[in-house]
Amino acid sequence: MIVLGVDTSCDDTSIAVYDASSNKVLSNIVSSQYEFHREFGGVVPEIAARKHAENIDLVFLEALKVAQVSPSDLRLVCATNRPGLLPALLVGLTFAKGISYNLKVPFKAVHHIEAHLFSPFIGSEPSYPFLGLVVSGGHTLIVLVERLGRYKVLGKTLDDAVGEAYDKVAKITGLGYPGGPVIDKIYRSYDGDYLKLPKPKVSGLNFSFSGIKSAVRRLAEKGAPTYQLVSSFQRVAVSYLIDKLKEAVKETKVKRVAVSGGVSANSLLREELASLGVELYIPPLEFTSDNGAMVAYLGYRKFLLEGEDSLEVGALARSQIT
Ligand SMILES: Nc1ncnc2c1ncn2[C@@H]1O[C@H](COP(=O)(O)OP(=O)(O)OP(=O)(O)O)[C@@H](O)[C@H]1O
Ligand SMILES: [Mg+2]
């Protein structure tokens, strides 16, 4: 069964073709818009929507071409409809609905964070229960996944997401947007001392990143060297994520952990996770940030569980996972 997955929730136009019968991603095309948002230090919703609208036909045709399928092979169309930037979401959602309507194939709306949550299992089947740590540009949460569709959010950020903190630290230090990849690269090349940054004290499994970010701002204003400052930030941010994850494993006694979202590309986080002593699932780099493959993968499984969605389903800027 050939499934189309569409994601335009933020600043990546992504469409994938997924063969559910063989559990293989046949193509996953991502057109990133970073260069158009860079000068603003973050994503501008109107620009994102316009670029999605300009690119989506080409991304679709490329996804079909690479997968070597034609539109008539598609049996299910899935698209992210929540949460995300509303004008951006609407482009992919409307496009996907149009394809579903024209081809007379079922449509399934997908929750973007739920799709990230399951992305470490693309190409295989999830084993339950597992603890999901989602670390992206807009979200940071730990979820106990009992089975598909049954989730308990154990903790989430009370202010900034960790990816957002990376992006803000890069903005403060003049490293541009997005911050994660450049800070990670600097960390790899830096071998000096580290500055002491505070680890936020938030009870339970919730997170807070605004204190670390403010400390970085103060030190930057005092003239702290950029490489030392951002490397110290990465060290404390990753150590904080690992502390919380260890706490969640201890509390739930669930030792199966799936980490996802853009920040799961981070090299230090990957190193630290590998030495945690848990059964670890982490997506290959191409499925860490926004991608259509995770939308098709999850959409297909939700379709089997719940059936199709009406073409009248709308887009939502905000939406909890449960
Ligand atoms: N190597 C890395 N280290 C740390 N952070 C990274 C790395 N690579 C990317 N990121 C961060 O990942 C984030 C983008 O991830 P992703 O595309 O999953 O988020 P998003 O789609 O913008 O947000 P959400 O999924 O919450 O709506 C950015 O904040 C970026 O800085
Ligand atoms: Mg995302």
Side-chain angles (χ1 to χ4, degrees):
M1 180 164 171
I2 303 293
V3 183
L4 193 75
V6 179
D7 190 288
T8 61
S9 60
C10 191
D11 58 350
D12 293 310
T13 316
S14 179
I15 300 189
V17 175
Y18 168 66
D19 181 357
S21 317
S22 62
N23 202 349
K24 283 206 171 82
V25 176
L26 303 182
S27 65
N28 182 54
I29 308 299
V30 182
S31 167
S32 292
Q33 311 173 350
Y34 298 143
E35 57 184 303
F36 304 105
H37 300 285
R38 192 162 279 144
E39 65 178 293
F40 305 100
V43 181
V44 182
E46 282 309 312
I47 296 178
R50 201 176 338 126
K51 291 292 161 195
H52 286 313
E54 282 170 18
N55 290 334
I56 199 159
D57 296 308
L58 291 174
V59 172
F60 173 61
L61 293 175
E62 185 67 12
L64 294 181
K65 191 174 148 196
V66 172
Q68 295 185 299
V69 300
S70 66
S72 60
D73 294 318
L74 300 174
R75 292 289 175 274
L76 173 68
V77 177
C78 308
T80 299
N81 77 321
R82 67 197 192 283
L85 302 172
L86 207 55
L89 281 169
L90 284 169
V91 177
L93 181 62
T94 310
F95 183 85
K97 284 179 182 176
I99 294 189
S100 155
Y101 182 80
N102 276 293
L103 296 175
K104 298 184 175 57
V105 296
F107 167 75
K108 191 74 193 162
V110 170
H111 190 292
H112 182 77
I113 299 309
E114 193 179 356
H116 273 304
L117 188 60
F118 282 86
S119 63
F121 299 102
I122 293 173
S124 65
E125 286 303 328
S127 304
Y128 302 102
F130 70 87
L131 280 177
L133 171 67
V134 183
V135 281
S136 65
H139 295 80
T140 302
L141 63 162
I142 300 182
V143 188
L144 173 63
V145 179
E146 291 170 349
R147 57 176 159 78
L148 183 62
R150 200 176 167 93
Y151 315 123
K152 273 191 195 139
V153 177
L154 305 178
K156 59 181 175 182
T157 182
L158 302 177
D159 40 58
D160 293 344
V162 60
E164 195 178 350
Y166 263 96
D167 296 336
K168 287 182 179 168
V169 164
K171 193 174 179 180
I172 291 166
T173 50
L175 293 172
Y177 173 82
V182 55
I183 292 176
D184 196 9
K185 203 166 159 205
I186 289 173
Y187 178 86
R188 286 289 137 208
S189 69
Y190 178 75
D191 66 355
D193 298 336
Y194 295 97
L195 297 165
K196 205 167 160 42
L197 289 168
K199 232 183 227 182
K201 291 197 175 44
V202 177
S203 66
L205 295 172
N206 286 329
F207 299 86
S208 166
F209 286 94
S210 65
I212 311 181
K213 180 194 66 192
S214 306
V216 167
R217 190 188 304 279
R218 279 194 300 276
L219 287 165
E221 281 164 5
K222 282 189 194 154
T226 297
Y227 277 32
Q228 186 185 32
L229 186 55
V230 301
S231 299
S232 307
F233 163 76
Q234 165 142 316
R235 214 166 73 126
V236 75
V238 168
S239 157
Y240 186 48
L241 292 173
I242 295 288
D243 287 352
K244 292 284 176 176
L245 195 54
K246 276 186 184 160
E247 216 172 307
V249 171
K250 199 171 150 197
E251 224 170 75
T252 58
K253 299 188 176 55
V254 172
K255 287 195 147 195
R256 188 179 292 123
V257 171
V259 185
S260 59
V263 182
S264 71
N266 188 267
S267 64
L268 179 63
L269 180 61
R270 283 178 175 244
E271 262 172 38
E272 298 284 322
L273 286 168
S275 54
L276 259 188
V278 296
E279 184 184 327
L280 180 67
Y281 296 86
I282 195 157
L285 290 184
E286 69 165 325
F287 302 145
T288 54
S289 54
D290 294 349
N291 64 88
M294 67 181 190
V295 175
Y297 177 84
L298 180 73
Y300 169 71
R301 280 159 180 78
K302 295 285 275 195
F303 170 72
L304 294 184
L305 189 72
E306 307 166 337
E308 66 184 301
D309 285 327
S310 153
L311 289 180
E312 283 170 25
V313 69
L316 292 170
R318 291 177 167 274
S319 169
Q320 300 299 321
I321 201 164
T322 40

